[in-house]
Each structure stands twice: as structure tokens, then as C-alpha cells.
Amino acid sequence: MCGIVGYVGEQSAVDVVVEGLRRLEYRGYDSAGVAVVTAEALSVRRKAGKLANLEKLLAEQPISNGTVGVGHTRWATHGPPTDKNAHPHLDVTDRIAVVHNGIIENFASLRRELEVDGVPLTSDTDTEVVAHLLGQVFDGNLADAMRQVCRRLEGAFTLVAVHADEPEVVVGARRNSPLVVGLGEGENFLGSDVSAFIAHTRHAVELGQDQVVQIRRDGVEITTFDGAPASGREFEVDWDASAAEKGGYDFFMMKEIYEQPKAVADTLLGRVDDNGMLHLDEMRLSDEDIRDIDKVVVVACGSAFHAGLIAKYAIEHWTRLPVEVEVASEFRYRDPILTRQTLVIAISQSGETMDTLMAIRHARDQGSRVLAICNVNGSTIPRESDAVVYTYAGPEVAVASTKAFLTQIVAVHLVALYLAQIRGTKWADEIALHVSELADIPAAVDQVLETVEPMRTLARSMVTAKAVLFLGRHVGYPVALEGALKLKELAYMHAEGFPAGELKHGPIALIEDGLPVVVIVPPRSGRPVLHDKIVSNIQEIRARGARTIVIAEENDDSVAPYADTLVRVPVVPTLLQPLVATVPLQVLACELAHAKGFDVDQPRNLAKSVTVE
Ligand code: F6R
């Protein structure tokens, strides 16, 4: 949600900043802008719409050749996505430029104060207020001004600013929103995440909460909002710029779908010893802490929430601990019952989702331990958790989650098995067996991808469908929810996922002639009763005219007579079926969006990292 870049060095700032924005564009694409500092003044260009519009403007009106600059790609909160609301925003002297991610909650009162002072406000944004406040307090030191202003701000914000009077410096600040420093040779960077500077350096520093950072060509200085010296955590990014390129695919999403076997394998790598026992070194919870747990609560949003629903089946099955799963944005507002014995698991690809972050803060305030499952090193949620299990999906650029979702499912299985191992609820050989079944998943996903071609034809045949329903049972239910979410966000179609058993309690009224209904059939070997019930459900909807698209394991002949389209997936244990059954649904949504002429990687109104509540 809003991407920010800051640069100071020897290269052309506009080139470095625009390149960084290109890599951050998945965070928001309502408008984009840059400001470059020269000895005399600031040069600013900003434009509504995608980054391409800004690049066109820069080609028509080139910017002066400075080596210090900032840039922004916007996901609109305050004010529509117009040129005037595009960042950077300037103070009255046009000598300060500010870019911002987040929401300044007390902006209305600050704005009134500025109006009383006669300051002319030219945009609808909360950000412009910061530019004017910085201008009012600036006394030759931008970092100082930033500290003073930040102390007055409420809410969530990452701010990055430059001042024409201090042309060698870029200053950043963060509270509740992400900001990472990139350390180069004779150059330094700021970015909403490491992809902003990955083409230049993999050496990064994670900033802490309520910190101000000043970067110069030859140094980085971090303080608290009160000016006390502070430091960040240095880390090396374990992927390079090529991992965030399309690599011959038409869309990032398709590339990321095809990266899933590797992502799953990487997430398992190094976590299992020769005896099949798990070692989760980043756990940071003692065995005693783990034995103490009496309840697990999973909090997450969107696709990560669906991974959380799957976690409930896995953890309850293997540990017999009760598990609650809750959408993070609802969690803290219902005053949940949390104790020191509660383990809260927060699942988040980005590690920055504000709803999830607020949920874990609430949980920690109540004394609960928090375990993060996260894909992005250096992000806020793992930093504020008691323990972390990283997923190794690599950078996920497409807004719709695919490989991150699959690796989240793998991670919840690892956590479930690890809890079982420490608590002794499963024998070592049982755990080793489950771990070996997980190790077979990359090959199974590969197999799905090799046979996924018919999904493309299917997608083209569904272009005129008004709605699509998804049905599943047991772990197939979260898969149904995920399939529906993918279709909503990418193909802008009305899509709903239901537990198949709920059908007769209402949703069956939606069935009409030709309505596509995707059904995820549980493995026959797991719970035959569930399998047989869903086969009956397929017959019920078909009798009412539905067009049935059935996802079933490859040896399951019982469903063939009732499937208008039959999609085969490899035979895997029931609890692992989401890892194979989700893949055709990802391809379906991607192809359907493409067939409808929509932007697959940057669907309308969405942004990848949702850093506002
Ligand atoms: C859906 C999707 C979103 C995210 C959700 C949580 O395709 O990508 O629903 O899953 O916004 O994001 P993270 O995992 O970053 O917390």
C-alpha cells in the first residue's frame, strides 16, 4: 500500500527512483511521482494513473540531473487518484518534498491549524499537511524537523522527505508502516521494502518502530523520534533482482504459480533432519513454553486467513489443541479471551498487514505468545512476534497471492507437526511419515502444472458467466474460499465459496441453468463419508442445471458421470490436498482475468501490502 523510494548517491536519482517504483508498483498504482534535489531547487513530476503515465510525463518534461531524490506510487486513501493528490507533496516554499504511506489520523485538526495560519492547501491528502509542518519547523536540519513533526502525528506513517536547502540528505521516518534502508557503496537507499533497491544492493537495515533515519552518500544515522541514537537490524536479502522479473512469462502471477514447486521445497529445506524430525530454529519458544500452550488462535487476512483455516485442521489433528481462526480485522474488537497459555499464530506474506499487526499487538498486550508465519524478512510482524517461521516463497510481485499461500500452508503443517513433536502427541515415526508426505508435494504440484492446460480452455468458456460458486468440505472448504477470492479480485466476478453441506441451507437457491459451480472433492481414501456426500451434492446441483467443474484426485472415477469438466489432481493425504487443489483454481482465475482483458498483476482497487486498517 503506497510504495516509497529514497536515494542519495552518484547515479541519476530519477533513474534509480523510477526503477525502484517499477518494482514497488504492486503496492499501489493510483498515481506516481518523483522529486529530485539539485543545488538550486527541487524538480517534481507527478501523474495520476500507473507508473507508465509518469514515465511518459518524464519523457516529455525531463527532470534535472540530480543524484538525490524520492519517489512514490500511490494507493489512494485521502482524496481521489488525481494529479493534484499524487505525491510528492510540497510545502509553501516548494523547497520540501514529502512522500507518505499510511494514514495520519489527526490530520483534520492539523489541517485546520494550518488553515488558521493561512497556509494554502492544494490537495485533499493528509500528506500535504506534513510537508507544511516540516516547512514551519525547519531550521537548517531536516532530520530534526522530521523528529519534531513525527512527535505530533498520530496513526500509521512512513514518511520520506528531501529539502532543497540540504541537498545531500534524504530523511525517513516510520511508525506502524514499513521502511527499510539499503546500504550501498557511496550510495544509500530507502524503500517500503527491499525490492525498491534490490537491483543495487542486498545489504539492508530494518528500522524499528518510531525511528527517524537520515541517509547521506557516505552514511546512515538512525534516531528515535526523541533524537536518542538508535540502531536497526542489518540483514542480507536472500534473493536477487532476477527473482522479481517476469522471466519470460506474460504475467508475474503466472510465473509465481509456476514457481510453487520450488517455493514449497525451499520452505521445507533444512528443517527436517535425517530421522524426519523437525527443527524450527527461528521458533524462539522454549519447549516448556510449547508444552504450556492450551489454545491456539490464528489471525490473518485474505488468502492468509484461508491458510489459517487449513491450520485449524492440521493443528487440531496433530496436537489435539483447540484452534480458533479469526479474520485479523475483527479480532481485537471483540475482546478475545487470551492468556499466557494462548499461542497466537499470525500469518502474513508481507509481514506488514496493519490488521494483522494490530491483532498481534493486542495479543501480546494480553500476555499471549505470538508466532509469525511470514515471507518477508525485515518486516514488522515477525519483528514484533515472539517467534517466526519464515516461508521461502521469494518475492511475490503479483497482487494476488499464489506461491505465498501455498508456502503458508506448508508452514502451518510444519508448525503443527513441530508442536506435536514437542508436546509428544504423535510418535516420532508418525511425524517422520507426515514430513515425508510434505516432501512429496513439490513433485505433486509440478504434476498439476503439467496437466493444467485445460484450465485455459475452461477459462475462455466462462468469460460470460455472471457468477461462479465454489464448494468444498473439510480442508476443501478453505480451498473453495480461496478459489472464489482469486476470481473476485482478478476477474471481477461475483464468486462465493461454501462448505458443500451448507448448500441446502440457502445457497442452492442460487443455482440456475448454466451457473458454473466448482467442486473440490475430498480424497476417497481419507474420509470416504465426506467424499460420498460431496458426490451427492454434485448430483443435486447438476439436477438443477449447474455446470459442474469438478476437481478430484486422479484415481477417483466415481465423479466422472456428474462432471461437465473434470480436473484431475494427484493423490495426496487429505490434509495436504489444498496444496494441489488450489493450483488449478489459481490458473483459472489468472486465465479468466486475462481473457476478459483485465490487468492480472495489478487488479483494480487493490494493493499488495495493506498497511492501513
Ligand atoms: C489475495 C491476497 C490478499 C492477502 C491479504 C493478506 O490474493 O493477496 O487477500 O492475502 O491482504 O496479506 P498478507 O499475507 O501480506 O498479510
Side-chain angles (χ1 to χ4, degrees), residues 449-529:
L449 290 170
E450 277 163 20
T451 54
V452 90
E453 195 54 36
M455 295 312 285
R456 301 180 205 269
T457 323
L458 176 66
R460 284 193 290 275
S461 77
M462 286 170 67
V463 166
T464 53
K466 298 255 173 321
V468 183
L469 301 187
F470 291 76
L471 304 178
R473 278 179 182 262
H474 195 260
V475 287
Y477 167 47
V479 175
L481 292 177
E482 178 63 7
L485 178 62
K486 285 285 151 301
L487 216 54
K488 278 182 237 191
E489 65 183 330
L490 295 168
Y492 314 151
M493 290 167 79
H494 179 236
E496 294 296 332
F498 296 106
E502 272 293 289
L503 202 64
K504 293 199 262 305
H505 302 283
I508 200 162
L510 294 169
I511 308 284
E512 55 186 21
D513 230 19
L515 179 86
V517 182
V518 179
V519 188
I520 299 104
V521 180
R524 247 197 311 202
S525 54
R527 296 264 181 93
V529 63

Side-chain angles (χ1 to χ4, degrees), residues 189-444:
F189 307 80
L190 295 176
S192 297
D193 64 52
V194 295
S195 42
F197 47 75
I198 192 69
H200 306 276
T201 179
R202 290 161 69 172
H203 195 177
V205 178
E206 172 191 327
L207 286 185
Q209 176 76 334
D210 285 5
Q211 290 186 345
V212 168
V213 59
Q214 171 176 280
I215 60 168
R216 296 174 176 274
R217 203 169 282 188
D218 55 359
V220 172
E221 198 183 307
I222 303 172
T223 68
T224 63
F225 283 178
D226 292 325
S231 60
R233 182 183 71 91
E234 286 193 31
F235 64 100
E236 287 297 318
V237 184
D238 55 11
W239 49 272
D240 62 20
S242 65
E245 307 286 349
K246 280 192 195 147
Y249 286 87
D250 290 339
F251 324 111
F252 277 109
M253 182 176 176
M254 198 48 89
K255 176 188 175 228
E256 289 161 7
I257 287 172
Y258 275 85
E259 283 174 342
Q260 293 183 113
K262 180 172 184 315
V264 168
D266 286 352
T267 300
L268 292 169
L269 200 70
R271 287 174 159 163
V272 188
D273 70 17
D274 293 345
N275 303 320
M277 297 301 278
L278 284 164
H279 299 274
L280 299 181
D281 293 340
E282 327 90 309
M283 254 301 206
R284 299 197 305 256
L285 292 178
S286 68
D287 289 3
E288 203 186 330
D289 287 341
I290 289 174
R291 284 192 204 99
D292 233 23
I293 298 167
D294 65 6
K295 179 172 86 167
V296 176
V297 178
V298 185
V299 289
C301 303
S303 294
F305 169 70
H306 299 155
L309 291 174
I310 293 165
K312 177 176 170 71
Y313 291 90
I315 298 172
E316 288 187 344
H317 174 76
W318 283 319
T319 68
R320 306 313 296 154
L321 280 166
V323 181
E324 295 168 14
V325 190
E326 186 145 4
V327 165
S329 54
E330 290 294 321
F331 179 67
R332 68 184 170 129
Y333 298 106
R334 71 168 171 88
D335 195 13
I337 300 163
L338 297 163
T339 68
R340 203 175 150 68
Q341 278 75 45
T342 311
L343 175 68
V344 173
I345 301 180
I347 308 177
S348 175
Q349 185 284 132
S350 61
E352 299 294 348
T353 300
M354 185 58 70
D355 293 311
T356 311
L357 178 61
M358 290 304 167
I360 67 165
R361 284 192 184 156
H362 180 78
R364 293 193 84 202
D365 286 348
Q366 310 297 307
S368 300
R369 320 283 167 88
V370 174
L371 163 68
I373 292 177
C374 184
N375 195 44
V376 178
N377 195 339
S379 59
T380 309
I381 289 171
R383 188 178 52 248
E384 296 201 13
S385 298
D386 298 291
V388 55
V389 172
Y390 280 109
T391 53
Y392 290 94
E396 193 178 63
V397 179
V399 164
S401 185
T402 53
K403 59 177 180 170
F405 175 67
L406 246 59
T407 57
Q408 285 163 354
I409 299 173
V410 171
V412 301
H413 281 286
L414 290 176
V415 169
L417 289 169
Y418 187 75
L419 296 180
Q421 182 177 295
I422 304 296
R423 294 168 64 90
T425 48
K426 289 283 167 193
W427 299 107
D429 55 344
E430 288 175 282
I431 291 170
L433 173 67
H434 292 310
V435 167
S436 76
E437 287 166 344
L438 271 171
D440 291 339
I441 291 297

Side-chain angles (χ1 to χ4, degrees), residues 116-170:
V116 169
D117 289 350
V119 175
L121 290 140
T122 57
S123 78
D124 311 312
T125 66
D126 46 349
T127 311
E128 189 190 353
V129 165
V130 177
H132 294 302
L133 291 175
L134 282 172
Q136 287 182 337
V137 299
F138 180 77
D139 191 16
N141 184 324
L142 185 58
D144 240 7
M146 184 65 92
R147 283 186 280 269
Q148 287 182 56
V149 171
C150 284
R151 292 200 291 267
R152 300 197 58 201
L153 303 180
E154 289 165 18
F157 49 86
T158 299
L159 295 162
V160 172
V162 284
H163 197 306
D165 291 359
E166 248 192 316
E168 301 287 304
V169 166
V170 178

